[in-house]
Structure formats: structure tokens, C-alpha cells
Amino acid sequence: MAQYYNIPCAVSAGMTDSKMPDFQAGYEKGITELLSALAGANLIYEAAGMYGSLLAASKESFVLDNDMIGAILRATRGIEVTQDTLAFDVVRDVCIKGPGHFLGHDQTLNKMQSDYFYPATADRRTPQEWHDDGAKDLLDIARQKTKQILNAQVPAHISEETDAAIRAKFPIHLPRP
């Protein structure tokens, strides 16, 4: 109905009864968020980091959930069907005049770069490469990325004048970035 009347639709999804970032958390978060998004929700809250029926949050899960939410956003974007995306000329070049596969065609690479969601934390290496690099699981990778984010320089999003005005009005004890 919200889509029909063009009004906002907010849905709570992505929290889990799991107590930690495990398989249960992954499928509960993924299913509830994807179904909510595909049903037309345009605001999904409590979508990242939440565990134990909203009794806990995990910084590492914000990193992990960012990849999942990116993939969900890609899925809800849909597939564009135009003369360009149908690429009949490419099909003709590859299937009739060319090698019979699309792997070497420029259009394939271009579509992979624009249409595929590349997660930041998922490991796409071979099992041997993964093993040789220490066999870290996804939670280990998320912990490392979380530490990098938290140790990074905090950007200054507001001017020094605005910061000074806010600090004069409120008891802020954190140093200016």
C-alpha cells in the first residue's frame, strides 16, 4: 500500500535471535532484510549489528552487515532491460562471428563492474590461497576491518567555527578531530 500511495514504508528487519555472528544470524538477517526490501520497504531499521533479540550489538557485525545490505540493495535495484543491456550486437559478435563465449568481451567486464555487487569482506580466493594466507574466517576479517576503521583518523565534517559554537553550548569532552 505504501508503494501504491507513494508514501514511506519503514520496517524493522535484520535483527536476530542469535547471540553471535554465526550461520543463524546470517540467514535470519538476510531473509528478513531481503524480503522487507523486495516487499517495498524504503527504510529498514535495526538492520545492522543487532543480536540476541536487540539485547546486544556487534561492531564487527556492522562491517559484515554492510556487505549484506549492499547485496540486498543491488537485488532490489532490479535488472535494467534496454536495447543496450540486451546487447544483440554483442551476442551476434560472440556467437556467430566470435569465440562462442563472452569471457573476453569488453561488454562482459563492463557489466560485471556495473551490475555485480562486490562485497568488501567476502573471501573470493581459492581454498589453497586462503589456507596459505592463514585461513582467516569472515569474523576474523571483520574484526581486523573494525580495528582499522576505529583506528583511522576521524574526518572533520563541520567547520571549526561550527564545532566551537557547539562545544560552547554543550559539554563535549572529545577532542576535535
Side-chain angles (χ1 to χ4, degrees):
M1 293 302 292
Q3 294 296 317
Y4 179 81
Y5 288 109
N6 197 26
I7 58 174
C9 176
V11 176
S12 173
M15 67 291 286
T16 178
D17 290 328
S18 180
K19 313 312 178 261
M20 60 182 296
D22 59 7
F23 188 81
Q24 176 186 343
Y27 77 76
E28 286 180 352
K29 289 169 168 280
I31 288 171
T32 60
E33 288 184 32
L34 181 60
L35 291 175
S36 297
L38 291 174
N42 50 22
L43 171 63
I44 301 175
Y45 54 93
E46 297 168 345
M50 306 309 292
Y51 287 91
S53 302
L54 300 176
L55 295 175
S58 163
K59 290 179 233 167
E60 293 81 8
S61 287
F62 288 114
V63 170
L64 295 171
D65 292 346
N66 184 59
D67 278 353
M68 179 185 59
I69 292 168
I72 290 168
L73 287 171
R74 174 59 194 100
T76 57
R77 190 176 88 201
I79 298 169
E80 182 183 11
V81 179
T82 64
Q83 288 294 328
D84 185 50
T85 61
L86 289 173
F88 292 123
D89 55 330
V90 174
V91 172
R92 186 182 321 96
D93 288 345
V94 168
C95 297
I96 297 172
K97 302 175 187 176
H101 62 80
F102 295 90
L103 295 177
H105 201 282
D106 288 341
Q107 193 250 8
T108 303
L109 179 60
N110 291 337
K111 295 312 278 174
M112 283 297 295
Q113 291 174 335
S114 66
D115 290 358
Y116 183 76
F117 175 76
Y118 291 93
T121 56
D123 193 325
R124 302 285 188 222
R125 297 173 296 173
T126 67
Q128 186 63 48
E129 290 170 325
W130 169 77
H131 179 267
D132 292 347
D133 193 31
K136 295 177 191 157
D137 67 21
L138 195 54
L139 187 53
D140 291 330
I141 294 167
R143 284 185 182 124
Q144 182 179 3
K145 178 75 173 166
T146 300
K147 286 178 185 175
Q148 289 172 350
I149 292 169
L150 293 176
N151 290 331
Q153 176 69 30
V154 178
H157 296 290
I158 59 174
S159 69
E160 289 186 31
E161 296 80 24
T162 302
D163 183 73
I166 292 170
R167 289 172 185 275
K169 190 168 183 175
F170 300 100
I172 297 173
H173 301 289
L174 295 172
R176 178 165 167 75

